[in-house]
Every structure is written in structure tokens, then in C-alpha cells.
């Protein structure tokens, strides 16, 4: 069971990192100059936003019960 959850979260992380890297590619093609730190922050931003969204939804559901 634990391996299944880890695999599911890993796939989710990879998909969201891909979205982050696409965001970086779009910004670079638009002419933005990014440092390494900015690129890493932009790459992990979709995953962080997803985790926040999931946490807020879970908290909202538990209050309704």
C-alpha cells in the first residue's frame, strides 16, 4: 500500500515539474533572463500550488463533516 502511494505521488510530482519546466521554457523564449535559483523556484511552483490547493480542500471537507 505504501509503495503504491509513493509511486502515485512521484508521478504527480514529475507531471507538475514538467509543467514548471515548460513555464521556464516559455519565459526563456520570451526573453527573460533567469538565474538558477529563479529557475528552480519556478520549476517547483506548480507542485507547491497543488499541495496548497489539496490541503485547503481537505481542510474544508473536514469542517463540513
Amino acid at each position: 500500500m505504501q509503495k503504491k502511494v509513493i509511486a502515485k505521488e512521484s508521478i504527480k510530482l514529475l507531471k507538475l515539474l514538467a509543467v514548471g519546466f515548460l513555464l521556464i521554457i516559455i519565459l526563456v523564449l520570451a526573453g527573460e533572463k533567469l538565474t538558477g535559483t529563479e529557475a528552480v523556484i519556478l520549476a517547483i511552483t506548480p507542485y507547491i500550488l497543488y499541495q496548497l490547493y489539496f490541503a485547503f480542500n481537505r481542510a474544508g471537507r473536514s469542517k463540513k463533516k
Side-chain angles (χ1 to χ4, degrees), residues 56-65:
F56 287 134
N57 277 346
R58 181 171 280 187
R61 285 186 205 156
S62 65
K63 286 184 180 179
K64 289 180 183 178
K65 290 184 179 179

Side-chain angles (χ1 to χ4, degrees), residues 18-41:
V19 170
F21 284 120
L22 287 173
L23 175 63
I24 291 171
I25 290 168
I26 290 168
L27 288 172
V28 168
L29 290 175
E32 290 291 325
K33 303 289 184 198
L34 299 174
T35 64
T37 306
E38 291 171 334
V40 169
I41 291 170

